[in-house]
Amino acid sequence: MVSPGGTNLIILDEDFKRINACLSRLNQEARSKAVFLIDKNGQLISSHGETAGLDTTSLASLTAGNIAATGGLAQLLGEKEFSILFHEGERDNLHISIVAQRVILVIIFDSRSSLGLVRLRVKKAAEDLTRIFADIMKKLDREAGQARAMFGTHFSEITDDDIDNLFTKG
């Protein structure tokens, strides 16, 4: 079970495996160096590829900050958000996209791939991840409903007299 900090998102093992399979497939099909999934608070959810030697904690935090800053720019221009960012370097390139309005997908790629291939593969992976996160949210809603029902059942049996008796008996 994974719970990215600062959110109400709880990812069960079966969903985490689905996410990892999606990221692994994206990494292979896009011929990228590495793929990261980050929540909007800057917590790394998962990664695949050549991540050794990378400060993934800083990468996740800076990416979330980049998305937040770009969101501010979008608001200045009257846009809801800029859902895709691209940074071109001398050796490596960075493709950043927001998925399911909840998480950030980051792809690092070099000359073995191309922006067109990455964008094509990201589109398919984003659809898959959107379905996975919709399933996760349905499960969370269902469990929250069950918890509310259980909570209501237990406490509906307690009367005001029961509560008064708790505080009057010493």
Side-chain angles (χ1 to χ4, degrees):
M1 185 180 298
V2 175
S3 177
T7 67
N8 293 326
L9 185 63
I10 297 172
I11 302 173
L12 300 176
D13 283 340
E14 63 190 79
D15 295 318
F16 190 68
K17 288 176 184 173
R18 290 172 63 199
I19 290 169
N20 280 335
C22 182
L23 296 183
S24 176
R25 189 172 45 253
L26 173 61
N27 191 41
Q28 289 177 343
E29 291 178 354
R31 288 187 260 156
S32 61
K33 291 177 77 175
V35 175
F36 301 88
L37 192 65
I38 302 165
D39 79 355
K40 283 190 169 181
N41 294 321
Q43 297 291 317
L44 180 66
I45 297 172
S46 184
S47 63
H48 270 270
E50 302 168 24
T51 60
L54 275 176
D55 181 356
T56 56
T57 303
S58 295
L59 180 101
S61 297
L62 291 170
T63 300
N66 193 353
I67 289 292
T70 304
L73 288 171
Q75 286 183 342
L76 284 174
L77 298 175
E79 294 287 333
K80 183 178 174 190
E81 67 183 8
F82 293 126
S83 60
I84 296 174
L85 304 174
F86 174 67
H87 300 282
E88 184 174 358
E90 288 183 26
R91 291 175 295 130
D92 294 327
N93 307 304
L94 203 57
H95 185 280
I96 303 170
S97 56
I98 299 172
V99 175
Q101 299 178 331
R102 177 170 294 277
V103 292
I104 304 165
L105 184 60
V106 180
I107 293 93
I108 299 174
F109 65 99
D110 58 16
S111 60
R112 294 177 287 179
S113 187
S114 67
L115 177 59
L117 178 63
V118 168
R119 290 186 70 166
L120 179 69
R121 299 305 183 193
V122 163
K123 185 176 180 182
K124 171 73 172 107
E127 291 170 0
D128 294 343
L129 287 169
T130 297
R131 275 192 296 276
I132 292 169
F133 279 95
D135 291 345
I136 291 169
M137 296 312 295
K138 284 180 190 171
K139 288 177 189 174
L140 290 177
D141 286 345
R142 189 173 46 242
E143 289 180 17
Q146 290 171 347
R148 277 192 300 273
M150 183 182 300
F151 184 80
T153 301
H154 290 313
F155 287 100
S156 66
E157 298 170 359
I158 298 174
T159 65
D160 288 342
D161 290 337
D162 291 334
I163 295 171
D164 288 341
N165 287 337
L166 277 174
F167 293 105
T168 57
K169 293 182 180 176

